[in-house]
Amino acid sequence: MLSEYIAIKALENGVTLIGLTRGRETKLTHTEKLDKGEVMLAQFTENTSAMKIRGKAVIYTRFGNIETFTE
Amino acid sequence: MLSEYIAIKALENGVTLIGLTRGRETKLTHTEKLDKGEVMLAQFTENTSAMKIRGKAVIYTRFGNIETFTE
Amino acid sequence: MLSEYIAIKALENGVTLIGLTRGRETKLTHTEKLDKGEVMLAQFTENTSAMKIRGKAVIYTRFGNIETFTE
Amino acid sequence: MLSEYIAIKALENGVTLIGLTRGRETKLTHTEKLDKGEVMLAQFTENTSAMKIRGKAVIYTRFGNIETFTE
Amino acid sequence: MLSEYIAIKALENGVTLIGLTRGRETKLTHTEKLDKGEVMLAQFTENTSAMKIRGKAVIYTRFGNIETFTE
Amino acid sequence: MLSEYIAIKALENGVTLIGLTRGRETKLTHTEKLDKGEVMLAQFTENTSAMKIRGKAVIYTRFGNIETFTE
Amino acid sequence: MLSEYIAIKALENGVTLIGLTRGRETKLTHTEKLDKGEVMLAQFTENTSAMKIRGKAVIYTRFGNIETFTE
Amino acid sequence: MLSEYIAIKALENGVTLIGLTRGRETKLTHTEKLDKGEVMLAQFTENTSAMKIRGKAVIYTRFGNIETFTE
Amino acid sequence: MLSEYIAIKALENGVTLIGLTRGRETKLTHTEKLDKGEVMLAQFTENTSAMKIRGKAVIYTRFGNIETFTE
Amino acid sequence: MLSEYIAIKALENGVTLIGLTRGRETKLTHTEKLDKGEVMLAQFTENTSAMKIRGKAVIYTRFGNIETFTE
Amino acid sequence: MLSEYIAIKALENGVTLIGLTRGRETKLTHTEKLDKGEVMLAQFTENTSAMKIRGKAVIYTRFGNIETFTE
Amino acid sequence: MLSEYIAIKALENGVTLIGLTRGRETKLTHTEKLDKGEVMLAQFTENTSAMKIRGKAVIYTRFGNIETFTE
């Protein structure tokens, strides 16, 4: 419950947050769809040790804000 | 009890705070409706490891204030 | 006993502080009414992991002061 | 014994500090009356997770000083 | 032994420091009289979770110095 | 769950994040492909103690941002 | 052994440091007399949770220096 | 999982990261080859208490960036 | 072993450092004589919870340097 | 695994890092040779409590950078 | 092993560092002689809770440098 | 393994680092000779609670750099 959380704001419809498992084999734990303007807060958990973000979004992290698709 | 809390202020009626489960399968734990001007304080818990916010709102987080719908 | 507390000052009569349960099912734990000018200090507890504030009030939090009804 | 304390200074006679219980049901634990100019220091305890202050007073908290009745 | 202490300096004879119990029922644990100019250092303890100060005094706390009777 | 995470933003299609095992023998735990603009957040885990990044990417670390291919 | 200590410097002969017990009943644990110019360092202990200082002295505390008799 | 990580960026093909064992006898645990521009993040582990870097590279450490071959 | 130490420098012959016991009854644990210019470093211990310094000396404490006999 | 590491950069061929044992008798645990420009990161371990560096090198430590042979 | 250390530099031959025991009775644990220019680093230990320094020396402590014999 | 280390740079041949035992009786644990320009890193250990440095050297400590023989 004390693990860090990150925040994601979708900048378009259909942004995807994909959780990946912590175990020996890395599998998908969950896929969450966000519509434009929605915000999601998510922690790393006992089951999820990695997250992948697809689609135009801002990700709020300990390293500052990271925007997808902004070369 | 020591886990972090976030705050949400609804900027319109019908803002939704959706809790998502911590377990192997990610399910909805709870949906809370907020009317315009109401404020909610919520912790991550043993059962809730993610939250999704829909509707015009300000979310107060460790990364500062995040507004939904504000491209 | 070491969990964080927040403070609420009612700016009108009938401000409501609603506690929501920590368990698998989110239920109301308690509803407290505050009259104009009264101040309440409240901790997150073993039973309460979320709070909802209705009515004109200032909420003192780790994110600063949040006023309800102040678009 | 290590839990935080707050301080209250009564600015008029009859300021009331009401303790509310930590348990599943929220009840009054104690009511303390303060006369004008008296100061009370109080900790959150195993039994008390919320406090309500009525009457003209200054409350010294981690969020700074909060005055009741000062719209 | 590691709990916080506060300090009280009496500014007149007969300043009273009243200790209140930590248990389910809040009772007096102790009453200490201070004469003008005397200083008392007191910790919160297993038995005392609240203190009340009556009479002209300065109380040294984590919130700074609080003077009684100084509207 | 409390271990540090890093973030990776792919600057081209086919960026590869390769996890390496913590055990006595260092083996691949997982290979994740990222397309241009996608962002991945990943923790060190019980199984993964090293990660290798191939392809044009920015890696957000405790040492600042590290870009691959930028002599 | 890790508990905080305070220091007292007597500014006249016969300064008294009175220790008060931590238990359910508050009793005197010890009375120490200091002559002019002597310095005493004292910790809160398993037995002593409060100290009272009588006579002209400077007390060095976490709140700074507190002088007795200095209205 | 909480141990520190370092980062290595290869500035030429064939940079080698050699892990050395923590045990009574110091042996090679692993040898990892990095091509030009690749980045590796690696933790000290239960098995690896030392690392040796050969070839033109930048190593990101708690002491700042250390470049090999840059007299 | 981790408890705080203080330092004392004797400014004349015959400076006395008197240790007082931690137990229910406060007794002398030890008396140490310092000659002019000698320095003593002393920790609070399982047996000693208070120290008294007599004679012209500088005491180095967490509150800064305290000189005896320097009205 | 959480113990501190130091870094060594060899400024000539044949720099030697000698590990010395933690036990009652101090013996050599390991000797590592570094060629010019190579970098080594090494932790203190259950077996190694001292290290000796011979030959022209820079050692990165909590005290800053220490160069051998630079009178 | 984690207890604090102090350092002593002898400014003349025959500087003495005397260790005093931690136990109920304070006895000498050890006497170490330092010649001019020698440096000694010493920790407080399970057996030693006080140290006395005789002779012209600089003592490096958490309170800064203390010189003996420098009225 | 987490105890502090110090560093010593020999400024002449034959600098001696002498380890002294932690036990009830203080004995030599080890004597290490350093030649001019060599650097040694050493931790306090279960067996060593004091170190003595003889010969022209710089010692890097938590109190800054201490040079032997530099009156």
Side-chain angles (χ1 to χ4, degrees):
Chain A
M1 276 169 289
L2 295 170
S3 83
E4 259 183 271
Y5 66 87
I6 52 120
I8 300 147
K9 178 156 77 170
L11 299 179
E12 67 180 9
N13 286 333
V15 167
T16 319
L17 171 65
I18 301 157
L20 297 165
T21 55
R22 182 176 296 278
R24 292 197 163 235
E25 293 167 54
T26 303
K27 296 175 188 166
L28 260 76
T29 52
H30 185 70
T31 300
E32 189 71 34
K33 288 280 182 188
L34 295 178
D35 283 337
K36 192 175 180 181
E38 290 185 349
V39 171
M40 178 122 183
L41 306 171
Q43 289 182 306
F44 290 99
T45 70
E46 206 180 309
N47 297 298
T48 303
S49 67
M51 302 180 215
K52 196 169 168 176
I53 295 97
R54 279 193 180 135
K56 202 169 161 67
V58 191
I59 306 155
Y60 302 81
T61 74
R62 59 155 66 187
F63 307 112
N65 299 355
I66 303 173
E67 290 195 38
T68 59
F69 285 97
T70 62
E71 295 138 75
Chain B
M1 276 169 289
L2 295 171
S3 83
E4 259 183 270
Y5 66 86
I6 53 119
I8 300 147
K9 178 157 77 171
L11 299 179
E12 66 180 9
N13 286 334
V15 167
T16 319
L17 171 65
I18 301 157
L20 297 165
T21 55
R22 181 176 296 278
R24 292 197 162 235
E25 293 168 53
T26 303
K27 297 175 187 165
L28 260 76
T29 53
H30 186 69
T31 300
E32 190 71 34
K33 288 278 181 189
L34 295 178
D35 284 337
K36 192 175 180 181
E38 290 184 349
V39 171
M40 178 122 183
L41 306 172
Q43 289 182 306
F44 291 98
T45 69
E46 207 180 309
N47 297 298
T48 303
S49 67
M51 302 181 216
K52 197 170 168 174
I53 295 97
R54 279 193 180 134
K56 202 168 161 68
V58 191
I59 306 155
Y60 301 81
T61 74
R62 60 156 65 189
F63 307 113
N65 299 355
I66 303 173
E67 291 195 37
T68 59
F69 286 96
T70 63
E71 295 139 74
Chain C
M1 276 170 288
L2 295 170
S3 83
E4 260 182 271
Y5 66 87
I6 53 120
I8 300 147
K9 177 157 77 171
L11 299 180
E12 66 180 9
N13 287 334
V15 167
T16 320
L17 171 65
I18 301 157
L20 297 164
T21 55
R22 181 177 296 279
R24 291 195 164 238
E25 293 168 53
T26 303
K27 297 174 187 167
L28 260 76
T29 53
H30 185 69
T31 300
E32 190 70 33
K33 289 277 181 189
L34 296 178
D35 283 338
K36 193 176 180 180
E38 290 185 349
V39 172
M40 178 123 182
L41 306 172
Q43 290 182 306
F44 291 99
T45 69
E46 207 180 308
N47 297 299
T48 302
S49 67
M51 302 181 216
K52 197 169 167 174
I53 295 96
R54 280 194 179 134
K56 204 168 160 68
V58 191
I59 306 154
Y60 302 81
T61 74
R62 59 156 65 189
F63 308 113
N65 299 356
I66 303 174
E67 291 196 37
T68 59
F69 285 96
T70 62
E71 295 140 75
Chain D
M1 276 170 288
L2 295 170
S3 84
E4 260 182 271
Y5 66 87
I6 52 119
I8 299 147
K9 178 158 76 170
L11 300 179
E12 66 180 9
N13 286 334
V15 167
T16 320
L17 171 64
I18 301 156
L20 297 164
T21 55
R22 181 177 296 279
R24 291 194 164 239
E25 293 168 54
T26 303
K27 297 174 187 168
L28 260 76
T29 52
H30 186 70
T31 300
E32 190 71 33
K33 289 277 181 189
L34 296 178
D35 283 337
K36 192 176 180 181
E38 289 184 350
V39 172
M40 178 123 182
L41 306 171
Q43 289 182 307
F44 291 99
T45 69
E46 207 181 307
N47 297 298
T48 302
S49 67
M51 302 181 216
K52 197 169 167 174
I53 295 95
R54 280 194 179 133
K56 204 169 159 69
V58 191
I59 306 154
Y60 302 82
T61 74
R62 60 156 64 189
F63 308 112
N65 299 355
I66 303 173
E67 291 195 38
T68 59
F69 284 95
T70 62
E71 294 140 75
Chain E
M1 275 169 289
L2 295 170
S3 85
E4 260 183 271
Y5 66 86
I6 52 119
I8 300 147
K9 178 157 77 170
L11 300 179
E12 66 181 8
N13 286 334
V15 167
T16 320
L17 171 65
I18 301 156
L20 297 164
T21 54
R22 180 177 297 278
R24 291 196 164 238
E25 293 168 53
T26 303
K27 297 174 187 166
L28 259 77
T29 52
H30 185 70
T31 300
E32 190 71 34
K33 289 277 181 188
L34 296 177
D35 283 337
K36 192 175 180 181
E38 289 184 350
V39 173
M40 178 123 183
L41 306 171
Q43 289 182 306
F44 291 99
T45 69
E46 207 181 308
N47 298 298
T48 302
S49 67
M51 302 181 216
K52 196 167 168 176
I53 295 96
R54 279 193 179 135
K56 204 168 158 70
V58 191
I59 306 154
Y60 302 81
T61 73
R62 59 155 65 188
F63 307 112
N65 299 355
I66 303 173
E67 290 195 39
T68 60
F69 285 95
T70 62
E71 294 140 75
Chain F
M1 275 169 290
L2 294 171
S3 84
E4 260 184 270
Y5 66 86
I6 52 120
I8 300 147
K9 178 156 78 169
L11 300 179
E12 67 180 9
N13 286 334
V15 167
T16 318
L17 171 66
I18 301 157
L20 297 165
T21 55
R22 181 176 297 277
R24 292 198 162 234
E25 293 168 54
T26 303
K27 297 175 189 167
L28 261 75
T29 52
H30 185 70
T31 300
E32 190 70 34
K33 288 279 181 186
L34 295 178
D35 284 336
K36 192 176 180 180
E38 290 185 349
V39 172
M40 178 121 182
L41 306 171
Q43 289 182 306
F44 290 99
T45 70
E46 206 180 309
N47 297 299
T48 302
S49 67
M51 302 181 216
K52 197 169 168 177
I53 296 96
R54 279 195 179 134
K56 203 169 161 67
V58 191
I59 305 156
Y60 302 81
T61 74
R62 60 155 66 188
F63 306 112
N65 299 354
I66 303 173
E67 291 195 37
T68 58
F69 284 98
T70 61
E71 296 137 76
Chain G
M1 276 170 290
L2 295 169
S3 85
E4 261 183 89
Y5 65 86
I6 52 119
I8 300 147
K9 178 157 77 171
L11 300 179
E12 66 180 8
N13 286 334
V15 168
T16 319
L17 172 66
I18 301 156
L20 297 164
T21 55
R22 181 176 297 277
R24 291 195 163 238
E25 294 167 54
T26 303
K27 297 173 188 166
L28 259 77
T29 52
H30 185 70
T31 300
E32 190 71 34
K33 288 278 181 187
L34 296 178
D35 283 337
K36 192 176 181 181
E38 289 184 350
V39 173
M40 178 122 181
L41 306 170
Q43 289 181 306
F44 291 99
T45 70
E46 207 180 309
N47 297 298
T48 302
S49 67
M51 302 181 216
K52 196 168 168 176
I53 296 97
R54 278 193 180 137
K56 205 169 158 69
V58 191
I59 305 155
Y60 302 81
T61 74
R62 58 156 66 189
F63 307 112
N65 299 355
I66 302 174
E67 290 195 39
T68 59
F69 285 96
T70 62
E71 294 140 74
Chain H
M1 275 170 289
L2 294 170
S3 85
E4 260 184 89
Y5 66 86
I6 52 120
I8 300 147
K9 178 156 79 170
L11 299 179
E12 66 179 10
N13 287 333
V15 167
T16 318
L17 172 66
I18 301 156
L20 297 165
T21 56
R22 182 176 296 277
R24 291 196 163 237
E25 293 168 54
T26 303
K27 296 175 188 166
L28 260 75
T29 52
H30 186 70
T31 301
E32 189 70 34
K33 288 280 182 186
L34 296 177
D35 284 336
K36 192 176 180 180
E38 290 185 350
V39 172
M40 179 122 182
L41 306 172
Q43 290 181 306
F44 290 99
T45 70
E46 205 180 309
N47 297 298
T48 302
S49 67
M51 302 181 216
K52 197 169 169 176
I53 295 96
R54 279 194 179 133
K56 203 170 161 67
V58 192
I59 305 156
Y60 302 81
T61 74
R62 59 155 66 188
F63 306 112
N65 299 354
I66 303 173
E67 291 194 38
T68 58
F69 284 98
T70 60
E71 296 138 76
Chain I
M1 276 169 289
L2 295 170
S3 83
E4 261 182 270
Y5 65 87
I6 52 118
I8 300 147
K9 178 157 77 171
L11 299 180
E12 66 180 9
N13 286 335
V15 168
T16 319
L17 171 65
I18 301 156
L20 297 165
T21 54
R22 181 177 297 277
R24 291 196 164 238
E25 293 167 54
T26 303
K27 296 174 188 168
L28 259 77
T29 52
H30 186 69
T31 300
E32 190 70 33
K33 289 278 182 187
L34 296 178
D35 283 337
K36 191 176 181 181
E38 289 185 351
V39 173
M40 179 122 183
L41 307 171
Q43 290 181 306
F44 291 99
T45 70
E46 207 180 310
N47 298 298
T48 302
S49 67
M51 302 181 217
K52 196 168 167 177
I53 295 97
R54 279 193 181 136
K56 205 169 158 69
V58 192
I59 306 155
Y60 301 82
T61 74
R62 59 155 65 189
F63 307 112
N65 299 354
I66 303 173
E67 290 195 38
T68 59
F69 286 96
T70 62
E71 294 140 73
Chain J
M1 275 170 289
L2 294 170
S3 83
E4 260 184 271
Y5 65 87
I6 52 119
I8 300 146
K9 177 156 79 170
L11 299 179
E12 67 180 8
N13 288 333
V15 167
T16 318
L17 171 66
I18 300 157
L20 297 165
T21 55
R22 182 176 296 277
R24 290 195 164 238
E25 292 168 55
T26 303
K27 296 174 188 167
L28 260 76
T29 52
H30 186 69
T31 300
E32 190 71 34
K33 288 280 182 186
L34 296 178
D35 283 337
K36 192 177 181 180
E38 290 185 349
V39 172
M40 180 121 182
L41 306 171
Q43 291 181 305
F44 290 99
T45 70
E46 206 181 309
N47 297 298
T48 302
S49 67
M51 303 181 216
K52 197 168 167 176
I53 295 95
R54 278 194 180 134
K56 204 170 160 67
V58 191
I59 306 156
Y60 302 81
T61 74
R62 59 155 65 188
F63 306 112
N65 300 354
I66 303 172
E67 290 195 38
T68 59
F69 285 97
T70 60
E71 297 137 73
Chain K
M1 277 170 288
L2 295 170
S3 83
E4 261 183 88
Y5 65 86
I6 53 118
I8 300 147
K9 178 156 78 171
L11 300 179
E12 66 180 9
N13 287 335
V15 168
T16 319
L17 172 66
I18 301 156
L20 297 165
T21 55
R22 181 176 297 277
R24 290 195 165 239
E25 294 167 53
T26 303
K27 296 175 188 167
L28 260 78
T29 53
H30 186 70
T31 300
E32 190 71 33
K33 289 279 182 186
L34 296 178
D35 283 337
K36 191 176 181 181
E38 289 185 349
V39 172
M40 179 121 182
L41 307 171
Q43 291 181 305
F44 290 99
T45 70
E46 206 181 310
N47 297 298
T48 303
S49 68
M51 302 181 217
K52 197 168 168 176
I53 296 96
R54 280 194 180 134
K56 205 170 158 69
V58 192
I59 306 155
Y60 302 81
T61 74
R62 59 155 65 189
F63 307 112
N65 300 354
I66 302 173
E67 291 196 38
T68 60
F69 287 96
T70 61
E71 297 139 71
Chain L
M1 278 170 288
L2 294 170
S3 83
E4 261 183 271
Y5 66 86
I6 52 118
I8 300 147
K9 178 155 79 171
L11 299 179
E12 67 179 10
N13 287 334
V15 168
T16 319
L17 172 66
I18 301 157
L20 297 165
T21 55
R22 182 176 296 277
R24 290 195 165 238
E25 293 168 54
T26 303
K27 296 175 189 167
L28 259 76
T29 52
H30 186 70
T31 301
E32 190 72 33
K33 289 279 183 187
L34 296 178
D35 283 337
K36 191 177 181 180
E38 290 185 349
V39 173
M40 179 122 183
L41 307 171
Q43 290 181 305
F44 290 99
T45 70
E46 206 180 309
N47 297 297
T48 302
S49 68
M51 302 181 216
K52 196 168 169 176
I53 295 96
R54 278 193 180 134
K56 205 171 159 68
V58 191
I59 306 156
Y60 302 81
T61 74
R62 59 155 64 188
F63 307 112
N65 300 354
I66 302 172
E67 291 195 38
T68 59
F69 286 96
T70 61
E71 297 138 73

